[in-house]
Amino acid sequence: MSRLVRMTLLAMISMASTAFAGHVYENLSYGDTRETVTKKLLACPRLEVTVPETMFGRVGLNGSFKIKKDLNGLKFSLFFDWDETGGLKEVTLRSEDVGPSDYNSKLKEYYSDASDLITRIYGSPIMSNDMPPRKDINPGAIMNSHLWHPGEGSLMLGVAHAKDKYYVSIRFTSKVIKPVKTEN
């Protein structure tokens, strides 16, 4: 199966419902409670649970769900953030980690594939930059390079650095992020 066909299938299977059924990834909506999010994720056939449901209270939801279909060989896990009232305010799709030696090869390809996929679904980004150089991403940081406003909130694509590994980050947030303008 060609790369383009895989990306198109992934777009239809994994993310297409975002643009139509909800405000966030899959059928999740901003403001959903943790209980509602858990029920929706468990019912979603495109996701798999990585820990027993009885462990959610101990380990939480972060990293407990993975997308079944990969993006050109790369698996993504879901991570969440909540507002002060316990409502969903962010969902981040985090790719598997790659080492520093694969940053300019594998990770760059994954990043490009993710950018192409999101652009196919949501149109051209309102802000777009090249993938950041590895040396510019501090440990524990995420450097976002692309920004979309898909209806409510924002969608950002970036690269993160954690424990001497790097990963692609696709973040849906209820906050409307304004593009950064630079002076030339």
Side-chain angles (χ1 to χ4, degrees), residues 134-175:
R134 183 170 61 97
K135 65 177 179 48
D136 290 352
I137 307 173
N138 294 324
I142 299 173
M143 187 172 280
N144 293 307
S145 57
H146 288 64
L147 174 66
W148 291 263
H149 286 156
E152 186 178 334
S154 301
L155 169 57
M156 293 175 284
L157 170 67
V159 177
H161 180 185
K163 300 180 183 175
D164 202 31
K165 301 279 186 171
Y166 299 86
Y167 61 88
V168 174
S169 173
I170 301 169
R171 178 180 163 211
F172 295 85
T173 180
S174 60
K175 185 176 180 181

Short mmCIF file of all heavy atoms in Angstrom, two decimals, residues 134-175:
data_model
loop_
_atom_site.label_atom_id
_atom_site.label_comp_id
_atom_site.label_asym_id
_atom_site.label_seq_id
_atom_site.Cartn_x
_atom_site.Cartn_y
_atom_site.Cartn_z
N ARG A 134 16.80 19.84 16.02
CA ARG A 134 16.87 19.08 17.27
C ARG A 134 17.50 19.90 18.39
O ARG A 134 17.04 19.90 19.52
CB ARG A 134 17.64 17.78 17.05
CG ARG A 134 17.70 16.88 18.26
CD ARG A 134 18.25 15.51 17.92
NE ARG A 134 19.59 15.53 17.40
CZ ARG A 134 20.70 15.32 18.12
NH1 ARG A 134 20.60 15.08 19.41
NH2 ARG A 134 21.88 15.35 17.56
N LYS A 135 18.54 20.64 18.08
CA LYS A 135 19.28 21.41 19.10
C LYS A 135 18.42 22.51 19.73
O LYS A 135 18.73 22.98 20.82
CB LYS A 135 20.55 22.00 18.50
CG LYS A 135 20.30 23.05 17.43
CD LYS A 135 21.59 23.66 16.92
CE LYS A 135 21.39 24.67 15.84
NZ LYS A 135 20.39 25.69 16.04
N ASP A 136 17.34 22.91 19.05
CA ASP A 136 16.49 23.99 19.55
C ASP A 136 15.41 23.54 20.53
O ASP A 136 14.74 24.37 21.12
CB ASP A 136 15.82 24.72 18.39
CG ASP A 136 16.80 25.53 17.56
OD1 ASP A 136 17.98 25.67 17.98
OD2 ASP A 136 16.39 26.02 16.49
N ILE A 137 15.24 22.22 20.68
CA ILE A 137 14.17 21.72 21.56
C ILE A 137 14.79 21.28 22.88
O ILE A 137 15.52 20.30 22.95
CB ILE A 137 13.41 20.55 20.91
CG1 ILE A 137 12.92 20.95 19.52
CG2 ILE A 137 12.25 20.13 21.80
CD1 ILE A 137 12.31 19.82 18.75
N ASN A 138 14.49 22.02 23.92
CA ASN A 138 15.02 21.71 25.25
C ASN A 138 14.35 20.47 25.83
O ASN A 138 13.18 20.20 25.53
CB ASN A 138 14.79 22.89 26.20
CG ASN A 138 15.58 24.11 25.79
OD1 ASN A 138 16.70 24.01 25.31
ND2 ASN A 138 14.98 25.28 25.96
N PRO A 139 15.06 19.72 26.67
CA PRO A 139 14.44 18.57 27.33
C PRO A 139 13.18 19.00 28.09
O PRO A 139 13.16 20.03 28.75
CB PRO A 139 15.52 18.08 28.29
CG PRO A 139 16.81 18.56 27.67
CD PRO A 139 16.47 19.88 27.03
N GLY A 140 12.12 18.23 27.92
CA GLY A 140 10.86 18.51 28.59
C GLY A 140 9.98 19.52 27.85
O GLY A 140 8.92 19.88 28.34
N ALA A 141 10.43 19.97 26.68
CA ALA A 141 9.68 20.99 25.94
C ALA A 141 9.03 20.44 24.68
O ALA A 141 9.48 19.44 24.13
CB ALA A 141 10.62 22.14 25.56
N ILE A 142 8.00 21.13 24.23
CA ILE A 142 7.36 20.87 22.94
C ILE A 142 7.48 22.15 22.13
O ILE A 142 7.17 23.23 22.62
CB ILE A 142 5.87 20.51 23.09
CG1 ILE A 142 5.69 19.24 23.92
CG2 ILE A 142 5.21 20.35 21.73
CD1 ILE A 142 4.25 18.91 24.26
N MET A 143 7.95 22.01 20.90
CA MET A 143 8.05 23.17 20.01
C MET A 143 7.06 22.97 18.88
O MET A 143 7.23 22.10 18.03
CB MET A 143 9.47 23.32 19.48
CG MET A 143 9.66 24.59 18.68
SD MET A 143 11.38 24.89 18.23
CE MET A 143 11.99 25.57 19.77
N ASN A 144 5.98 23.75 18.92
CA ASN A 144 4.95 23.67 17.89
C ASN A 144 5.35 24.51 16.68
O ASN A 144 5.90 25.59 16.83
CB ASN A 144 3.61 24.13 18.44
CG ASN A 144 3.09 23.19 19.49
OD1 ASN A 144 2.98 21.99 19.26
ND2 ASN A 144 2.78 23.72 20.66
N SER A 145 5.05 23.99 15.51
CA SER A 145 5.45 24.66 14.28
C SER A 145 4.27 24.99 13.37
O SER A 145 4.39 25.83 12.49
CB SER A 145 6.42 23.77 13.51
OG SER A 145 5.81 22.52 13.25
N HIS A 146 3.14 24.31 13.57
CA HIS A 146 1.97 24.51 12.73
C HIS A 146 0.76 24.79 13.61
O HIS A 146 0.64 24.24 14.71
CB HIS A 146 1.68 23.25 11.90
CG HIS A 146 2.64 23.01 10.79
ND1 HIS A 146 3.98 22.74 11.01
CD2 HIS A 146 2.47 22.99 9.46
CE1 HIS A 146 4.58 22.56 9.85
NE2 HIS A 146 3.68 22.71 8.89
N LEU A 147 -0.16 25.60 13.08
CA LEU A 147 -1.36 25.97 13.82
C LEU A 147 -2.55 26.00 12.88
O LEU A 147 -2.47 26.57 11.79
CB LEU A 147 -1.17 27.36 14.46
CG LEU A 147 -2.36 27.98 15.17
CD1 LEU A 147 -2.74 27.19 16.42
CD2 LEU A 147 -2.04 29.44 15.54
N TRP A 148 -3.64 25.38 13.32
CA TRP A 148 -4.92 25.40 12.62
C TRP A 148 -5.99 25.86 13.60
O TRP A 148 -5.83 25.66 14.81
CB TRP A 148 -5.32 24.01 12.12
CG TRP A 148 -4.51 23.45 11.02
CD1 TRP A 148 -4.81 23.47 9.68
CD2 TRP A 148 -3.28 22.71 11.14
NE1 TRP A 148 -3.83 22.81 8.98
CE2 TRP A 148 -2.88 22.33 9.84
CE3 TRP A 148 -2.47 22.36 12.21
CZ2 TRP A 148 -1.72 21.62 9.59
CZ3 TRP A 148 -1.30 21.64 11.96
CH2 TRP A 148 -0.95 21.28 10.66
N HIS A 149 -7.08 26.43 13.10
CA HIS A 149 -8.26 26.74 13.90
C HIS A 149 -9.41 25.94 13.31
O HIS A 149 -10.17 26.44 12.49
CB HIS A 149 -8.57 28.23 13.89
CG HIS A 149 -7.64 29.04 14.73
ND1 HIS A 149 -7.42 30.37 14.52
CD2 HIS A 149 -6.86 28.70 15.78
CE1 HIS A 149 -6.55 30.82 15.40
NE2 HIS A 149 -6.19 29.82 16.17
N PRO A 150 -9.55 24.67 13.73
CA PRO A 150 -10.61 23.80 13.17
C PRO A 150 -11.95 23.98 13.87
O PRO A 150 -12.42 23.10 14.58
CB PRO A 150 -10.05 22.40 13.42
CG PRO A 150 -9.26 22.55 14.70
CD PRO A 150 -8.70 23.95 14.66
N GLY A 151 -12.57 25.11 13.71
CA GLY A 151 -13.82 25.36 14.42
C GLY A 151 -13.51 25.91 15.79
O GLY A 151 -12.88 26.94 15.94
N GLU A 152 -13.91 25.19 16.81
CA GLU A 152 -13.67 25.61 18.19
C GLU A 152 -12.24 25.26 18.60
O GLU A 152 -11.78 24.15 18.37
CB GLU A 152 -14.66 24.88 19.11
CG GLU A 152 -14.61 25.34 20.54
CD GLU A 152 -15.64 24.62 21.39
OE1 GLU A 152 -16.66 24.18 20.85
OE2 GLU A 152 -15.41 24.50 22.59
N GLY A 153 -11.51 26.18 19.20
CA GLY A 153 -10.18 25.90 19.70
C GLY A 153 -9.11 25.93 18.63
O GLY A 153 -9.26 26.55 17.58
N SER A 154 -8.00 25.25 18.94
CA SER A 154 -6.83 25.23 18.06
C SER A 154 -6.27 23.83 17.94
O SER A 154 -6.48 22.98 18.81
CB SER A 154 -5.74 26.16 18.62
OG SER A 154 -6.20 27.48 18.73
N LEU A 155 -5.53 23.62 16.88
CA LEU A 155 -4.84 22.36 16.63
C LEU A 155 -3.40 22.73 16.29
O LEU A 155 -3.16 23.57 15.43
CB LEU A 155 -5.50 21.62 15.47
CG LEU A 155 -4.80 20.40 14.88
CD1 LEU A 155 -4.53 19.34 15.93
CD2 LEU A 155 -5.63 19.82 13.74
N MET A 156 -2.45 22.11 17.00
CA MET A 156 -1.04 22.40 16.78
C MET A 156 -0.26 21.13 16.50
O MET A 156 -0.53 20.08 17.08
CB MET A 156 -0.46 23.10 18.00
CG MET A 156 -1.04 24.49 18.22
SD MET A 156 -0.46 25.26 19.73
CE MET A 156 -1.44 24.36 20.94
N LEU A 157 0.71 21.26 15.62
CA LEU A 157 1.64 20.17 15.31
C LEU A 157 3.02 20.61 15.75
O LEU A 157 3.43 21.75 15.48
CB LEU A 157 1.64 19.88 13.81
CG LEU A 157 2.73 18.94 13.29
CD1 LEU A 157 2.54 17.52 13.83
CD2 LEU A 157 2.77 18.94 11.78
N GLY A 158 3.73 19.73 16.41
CA GLY A 158 5.07 20.06 16.85
C GLY A 158 5.90 18.84 17.15
O GLY A 158 5.49 17.70 16.91
N VAL A 159 7.08 19.10 17.70
CA VAL A 159 8.01 18.05 18.11
C VAL A 159 8.35 18.27 19.57
O VAL A 159 8.54 19.41 20.00
CB VAL A 159 9.29 18.09 17.25
CG1 VAL A 159 10.29 17.04 17.71
CG2 VAL A 159 8.97 17.90 15.78
N ALA A 160 8.42 17.19 20.33
CA ALA A 160 8.73 17.26 21.76
C ALA A 160 9.99 16.48 22.07
O ALA A 160 10.39 15.58 21.32
CB ALA A 160 7.57 16.71 22.57
N HIS A 161 10.62 16.84 23.18
CA HIS A 161 11.86 16.21 23.63
C HIS A 161 11.67 15.74 25.07
O HIS A 161 11.36 16.55 25.95
CB HIS A 161 12.99 17.25 23.56
CG HIS A 161 14.33 16.77 23.98
ND1 HIS A 161 15.40 17.60 24.05
CD2 HIS A 161 14.80 15.55 24.33
CE1 HIS A 161 16.46 16.95 24.44
NE2 HIS A 161 16.11 15.68 24.62
N ALA A 162 11.82 14.45 25.29
CA ALA A 162 11.66 13.89 26.64
C ALA A 162 12.64 12.74 26.84
O ALA A 162 12.67 11.81 26.03
CB ALA A 162 10.23 13.41 26.85
N LYS A 163 13.43 12.82 27.88
CA LYS A 163 14.36 11.74 28.24
C LYS A 163 15.24 11.31 27.07
O LYS A 163 15.37 10.14 26.77
CB LYS A 163 13.60 10.55 28.81
CG LYS A 163 12.81 10.88 30.05
CD LYS A 163 12.07 9.67 30.57
CE LYS A 163 11.23 10.08 31.76
NZ LYS A 163 10.40 9.01 32.25
N ASP A 164 15.84 12.28 26.39
CA ASP A 164 16.74 12.05 25.26
C ASP A 164 16.07 11.32 24.09
O ASP A 164 16.71 10.66 23.30
CB ASP A 164 18.02 11.31 25.69
CG ASP A 164 19.16 11.54 24.71
OD1 ASP A 164 19.20 12.63 24.10
OD2 ASP A 164 19.98 10.63 24.52
N LYS A 165 14.75 11.44 24.01
CA LYS A 165 13.97 10.91 22.90
C LYS A 165 13.11 12.04 22.35
O LYS A 165 12.89 13.05 23.02
CB LYS A 165 13.06 9.76 23.36
CG LYS A 165 13.78 8.59 23.97
CD LYS A 165 14.32 7.69 22.90
CE LYS A 165 14.91 6.44 23.54
NZ LYS A 165 15.26 5.46 22.58
N TYR A 166 12.61 11.85 21.14
CA TYR A 166 11.81 12.87 20.47
C TYR A 166 10.54 12.23 19.94
O TYR A 166 10.53 11.06 19.58
CB TYR A 166 12.60 13.51 19.33
CG TYR A 166 13.84 14.19 19.83
CD1 TYR A 166 15.03 13.48 19.99
CD2 TYR A 166 13.82 15.54 20.18
CE1 TYR A 166 16.17 14.10 20.48
CE2 TYR A 166 14.96 16.17 20.67
CZ TYR A 166 16.12 15.44 20.82
OH TYR A 166 17.25 16.05 21.32
N TYR A 167 9.46 13.03 19.88
CA TYR A 167 8.21 12.50 19.34
C TYR A 167 7.41 13.62 18.68
O TYR A 167 7.60 14.80 18.96
CB TYR A 167 7.38 11.80 20.41
CG TYR A 167 6.95 12.64 21.58
CD1 TYR A 167 5.76 13.37 21.55
CD2 TYR A 167 7.71 12.69 22.75
CE1 TYR A 167 5.35 14.12 22.62
CE2 TYR A 167 7.30 13.46 23.84
CZ TYR A 167 6.13 14.17 23.76
OH TYR A 167 5.73 14.93 24.83
N VAL A 168 6.51 13.21 17.78
CA VAL A 168 5.59 14.12 17.13
C VAL A 168 4.42 14.34 18.08
O VAL A 168 3.90 13.40 18.69
CB VAL A 168 5.09 13.54 15.79
CG1 VAL A 168 4.01 14.43 15.18
CG2 VAL A 168 6.25 13.35 14.81
N SER A 169 3.99 15.60 18.20
CA SER A 169 2.87 15.97 19.06
C SER A 169 1.80 16.65 18.23
O SER A 169 2.07 17.62 17.52
CB SER A 169 3.37 16.93 20.15
OG SER A 169 2.29 17.43 20.90
N ILE A 170 0.56 16.13 18.31
CA ILE A 170 -0.60 16.73 17.65
C ILE A 170 -1.56 17.10 18.78
O ILE A 170 -2.12 16.23 19.43
CB ILE A 170 -1.26 15.76 16.65
CG1 ILE A 170 -0.26 15.32 15.58
CG2 ILE A 170 -2.50 16.39 16.03
CD1 ILE A 170 -0.74 14.17 14.71
N ARG A 171 -1.72 18.40 19.02
CA ARG A 171 -2.45 18.87 20.19
C ARG A 171 -3.72 19.62 19.80
O ARG A 171 -3.66 20.62 19.10
CB ARG A 171 -1.54 19.78 21.01
CG ARG A 171 -2.18 20.37 22.23
CD ARG A 171 -1.17 21.26 22.95
NE ARG A 171 -1.83 22.15 23.87
CZ ARG A 171 -1.39 23.35 24.18
NH1 ARG A 171 -0.30 23.82 23.66
NH2 ARG A 171 -2.06 24.08 25.04
N PHE A 172 -4.85 19.12 20.28
CA PHE A 172 -6.14 19.80 20.15
C PHE A 172 -6.37 20.52 21.48
O PHE A 172 -6.34 19.89 22.53
CB PHE A 172 -7.28 18.79 19.96
CG PHE A 172 -7.22 18.00 18.68
CD1 PHE A 172 -6.45 16.85 18.60
CD2 PHE A 172 -7.94 18.41 17.57
CE1 PHE A 172 -6.41 16.11 17.43
CE2 PHE A 172 -7.91 17.68 16.40
CZ PHE A 172 -7.14 16.52 16.32
N THR A 173 -6.63 21.81 21.45
CA THR A 173 -6.87 22.55 22.69
C THR A 173 -8.08 23.46 22.53
O THR A 173 -8.33 24.00 21.44
CB THR A 173 -5.63 23.38 23.11
OG1 THR A 173 -5.92 24.09 24.32
CG2 THR A 173 -5.18 24.34 22.03
N SER A 174 -8.81 23.64 23.61
CA SER A 174 -9.99 24.51 23.58
C SER A 174 -9.59 25.99 23.48
O SER A 174 -10.39 26.83 23.09
CB SER A 174 -10.85 24.30 24.83
OG SER A 174 -10.10 24.59 25.99
N LYS A 175 -8.35 26.29 23.79
CA LYS A 175 -7.85 27.66 23.73
C LYS A 175 -7.60 28.08 22.28
O LYS A 175 -7.05 27.30 21.49
CB LYS A 175 -6.54 27.76 24.53
CG LYS A 175 -6.00 29.14 24.64
CD LYS A 175 -4.75 29.16 25.51
CE LYS A 175 -4.20 30.56 25.62
NZ LYS A 175 -2.99 30.60 26.43
#
